[in-house]
Amino acid sequence: MMEKIDLNVGRGFSDCITVMFNFVKQEFKPLMKAAGFIVLPLLLVDMVLKSFFVSDVFAYTLLEYDVDVMLDADYWRGLGVNYLTMLVSYFWLALFALSYMRVYAERFAEGDAVPVSFGEVWQVMGKSMGVSLLWSVFYFLMVCFGMLLFLIPGIYVAVVFVFVLCFIVIAGKSLSNSMSASMKIMSGKWWNTFGYLLVLGMLVSALSYVFSLPYMFLSIKTIVVGEEPSTYALAFGVLLSTLGQYLLQLVAFVGIGVRFFSLREQKEHAALLDKINEIGKN
């Protein structure tokens, strides 16, 4: 049995990636069990809606993207609904992952080896759900607005405030305190965190291709042969691709949580040493 992981440890860039995979490997069963109760129902709704939209996309492909078809209101309505459900699913996954990590860290501090239950995770999610949703909407709009301003401001804001949700869910801070705490913890760590998030995103994207292979094969076949795939083949492709995408996104949010614990420990440890030094001087 793998030894429990102390999340409250200052770690380097590569060590955080390693701990992320070790954490998921160690907690895979209780993590998936909790996700089955809390996350899966929402993902099933997303997959059903996505199946209808993907079916329309294949039909449009056979029509060679006629201009009238691309201007069809139903197409863009389906695209908007699909994108919205994806954003809601990402928010739910992030809230779930961070809530799970909070319960895990508290269990570790108490020396309790009992697996995390979905009821405990749900309780943490319920306490921070409102503030987390409010912040997530504001964060999304803020980053989008920054992206419109020549891209760089959006990237900067996205990295600076990436740990706000962690402070809300894991540390239990208010929204305003979480924003200031995220800015403080990012002091001198912006480029390092940007690189970490970039590597994390590249890993998730690379691994997601494995789950997307059947769907990609159906897409290529539709373009080359000009024949729409069967309902069952399409449903399987969408199901596998979507589940793989969200599973890997869950891993990515765990990676963000690991990095948060590490940076917070480094900052708090440094602050504690400064206070001790000040006492010694006095």
Side-chain angles (χ1 to χ4, degrees):
M1 184 177 178
M2 187 181 295
E3 186 180 352
K4 287 289 184 178
I5 300 170
D6 185 2
L7 295 174
N8 290 298
V9 173
R11 295 181 171 92
F13 192 110
S14 59
D15 290 335
C16 286
I17 297 290
T18 302
V19 169
M20 173 188 73
F21 284 115
N22 288 340
F23 182 88
V24 174
K25 180 181 178 181
Q26 178 192 92
E27 293 296 300
F28 189 77
K29 286 186 178 180
L31 184 65
M32 291 299 103
K33 183 178 179 181
F37 284 101
I38 299 173
V39 179
L40 187 59
L42 179 62
L43 297 188
L44 289 175
V45 173
D46 175 69
M47 283 185 283
V48 170
L49 294 174
K50 187 170 291 185
S51 297
F52 286 114
F53 174 72
V54 170
S55 179
D56 291 339
V57 169
F58 274 93
Y60 295 148
T61 302
L62 294 175
L63 292 172
E64 299 180 352
Y65 294 99
D66 183 84
V67 175
D68 293 333
V69 173
M70 295 302 295
L71 293 177
D72 184 73
D74 291 336
Y75 174 84
W76 291 105
R77 188 180 300 112
L79 182 64
V81 171
N82 182 65
Y83 189 67
L84 179 62
T85 55
M86 182 188 70
L87 291 177
V88 172
S89 298
Y90 278 3
F91 160 74
W92 200 241
L93 280 169
L95 183 61
F96 168 77
L98 298 178
S99 298
Y100 189 99
M101 296 183 78
R102 172 177 173 171
V103 176
Y104 180 93
E106 291 174 350
R107 282 283 182 84
F108 183 90
E110 296 169 357
D112 192 347
V114 178
V116 176
S117 67
F118 76 91
E120 293 172 303
V121 178
W122 177 252
Q123 187 175 16
V124 174
M125 291 176 68
K127 290 179 180 178
S128 57
M129 191 181 302
V131 180
S132 298
L133 180 59
L134 177 65
W135 163 249
S136 297
V137 173
F138 180 69
Y139 180 67
F140 174 75
L141 294 176
M142 187 168 50
V143 171
C144 287
F145 180 74
M147 290 293 186
L148 294 176
L149 300 176
F150 306 107
L151 189 65
I152 295 177
I155 296 175
Y156 177 79
V157 168
V159 176
V160 167
F161 293 116
V162 71
F163 294 123
V164 170
L165 193 61
C166 296
F167 277 108
I168 293 173
V169 178
I170 296 175
K173 292 181 177 290
S174 65
L175 179 54
S176 58
N177 289 336
S178 296
M179 292 178 68
S180 60
S182 184
M183 295 177 67
K184 184 178 180 180
I185 203 175
M186 288 299 300
S187 177
K189 297 289 183 179
W190 192 94
W191 282 108
N192 187 277
T193 304
F194 173 72
Y196 179 81
L197 295 174
L198 190 63
V199 170
L200 201 59
M202 291 171 64
L203 282 172
V204 169
S205 298
L207 293 173
S208 66
Y209 278 112
V210 177
F211 295 95
S212 300
L213 285 176
Y215 178 76
M216 292 170 64
F217 173 77
L218 292 175
S219 300
I220 295 172
K221 182 180 178 181
T222 301
I223 296 173
V224 175
V225 180
E227 180 182 347
E228 189 173 352
S230 66
T231 304
Y232 295 109
L234 183 60
F236 174 77
V238 172
L239 176 65
L240 185 63
S241 177
T242 305
L243 281 178
Q245 172 191 348
Y246 287 135
L247 176 61
L248 290 169
Q249 196 59 50
L250 176 60
V251 175
F253 286 131
V254 170
I256 292 174
V258 170
R259 191 62 177 165
F260 164 75
F261 276 105
S262 175
L263 290 179
R264 187 179 67 165
E265 178 62 23
Q266 291 175 18
K267 289 289 184 179
E268 290 182 352
H269 183 67
L272 180 60
L273 288 177
D274 289 340
K275 290 180 180 178
I276 293 174
N277 290 332
E278 286 296 324
I279 293 174
K281 290 177 182 179
N282 293 333

